[in-house]
Amino acid sequence: MQSTSQAVVPATIEKQPENEPPVIAANPLDLPADMFKEGLDRRKQNRAALMAWVRDALIEGLDFGKIHVANRRCSAGKDCRNPAHFSKPSLFKAGAEKICGMLGLMVRYPTLPDYEKAALNGTQLSQIIIRCEIVDGSGRVVADGVGARIVSQDNGDINKSLKMAEKSAHIDATLRMAGLSEVFTQDLEDMMQLREAESIREAETTVLNNGFEGITKEQLKQLEVKIRELGLDRKRVKAWMANASHQRFRTFLDLNQEFYHRLYSKLDQFAGV
């Protein structure tokens, strides 16, 4: 969830020669033209240096990543060579921590104590909204962000929901602080979870409409989760499944119990575990 607030721009103070008082302006546009231009040039150079560092230091797959989102139009999966078939790179928590650490900034969650008190008081929580503030060494807030989570997404696990909301808020604040929204998004993991949820809903619809007696909803969920955790290509898993079953099973929804257990046991082998 993206924050609607922006980092507060503090009053600008420019140092003048010793015999003249400093120029203080609540709005940078009120500064003398030469000071304003110097400030813009300095920020332009600093941002260019930051972007160069981001490209050099952040590691794809660890600090950020992207997924193949054109599954219905392209069956190549992760082997696809068409850049248009992939999502915008998504910044991960590790990348946000690396950026903040490099800039000497810290994070704090001012609304977190409210949820701690609510949990201790036995309050039933259905959703969580956490605010993250990024602060400099003097404690001044330089950016903020918001992360939200519906507890039912995590099967009622409050601890997991809190951590996921904190992570989203931290990434949101980092993107705003460094002006990286044009480069990264923060929705990749949510997209992956949504894909799993859609697969489960499809299974439920099939059961209701066709009386299908195959694998259970929980088994389908376990299969999807393990494929994702092992980093396997779903298209390749399905291709093996179709070939091994002589085209009897072409989707996970077609599986019977016997072949489901055979496929599930093969996943570690596919991943080289």
Side-chain angles (χ1 to χ4, degrees), residues 4-5 12 19 69 103 109 116 140 155 185 191 200 203 209 222 255 260 263:
T4 57
S5 63
T12 303
N19 296 331
V69 295
L103 295 176
Y109 303 94
E116 294 175 346
R140 184 186 63 163
N155 298 316
T185 183
M191 290 171 64
I200 292 171
N209 295 340
Q222 290 175 350
L255 291 171
Y260 166 81
L263 174 62

Side-chain angles (χ1 to χ4, degrees), residues 160-218:
K160 182 177 180 181
S161 293
L162 280 170
K163 292 186 180 302
M164 295 298 288
E166 288 175 9
K167 181 198 69 173
S168 295
H170 184 189
I171 293 173
D172 185 21
T174 302
L175 293 177
R176 291 172 176 277
M177 176 270 302
L180 297 175
S181 294
E182 66 184 69
V183 180
F184 296 115
T185 183
Q186 66 179 93
D187 301 325
L188 178 61
E189 290 172 308
D190 290 338
M191 290 171 64
M192 296 173 72
Q193 292 178 353
L194 179 61
R195 180 173 295 177
E196 291 175 9
E198 289 175 344
S199 179
I200 292 171
R201 283 196 296 271
E202 186 179 352
E204 291 175 331
T205 301
T206 302
V207 170
L208 291 174
N209 295 340
N210 302 327
F212 177 72
E213 297 180 355
I215 63 174
T216 66
K217 180 179 72 173
E218 185 61 30

Side-chain angles (χ1 to χ4, degrees), residues 54-55 57-67 86 89-90 92:
V54 165
R55 287 190 293 269
L58 266 57
I59 302 171
E60 185 169 4
L62 177 63
D63 300 315
F64 70 94
K66 54 187 177 180
I67 62 172
F86 287 86
S90 177
F92 297 160

Side-chain angles (χ1 to χ4, degrees), residues 101-126:
M102 187 274 295
L103 295 176
L105 301 170
M106 299 172 289
V107 298
R108 65 188 183 197
Y109 303 94
T111 56
L112 184 58
D114 296 334
Y115 288 98
E116 294 175 346
K117 292 177 183 177
L120 290 174
N121 292 332
T123 304
Q124 286 292 109
L125 298 174
S126 60

Side-chain angles (χ1 to χ4, degrees), residues 39-52:
L40 289 177
D41 291 340
R42 181 172 62 252
R43 287 172 175 80
K44 179 180 178 181
Q45 294 176 11
N46 289 345
R47 189 172 190 279
L50 174 63
M51 295 302 294

Side-chain angles (χ1 to χ4, degrees), residues 243-267:
N243 290 333
S245 66
H246 303 290
Q247 305 304 315
R248 180 184 176 188
F249 305 120
R250 301 178 64 86
T251 72
F252 297 150
L253 299 177
D254 296 334
L255 291 171
N256 59 22
Q257 289 292 328
E258 179 182 358
F259 202 89
Y260 166 81
H261 290 293
R262 179 182 174 188
L263 174 62
Y264 194 86
S265 64
K266 280 280 187 180
L267 295 180

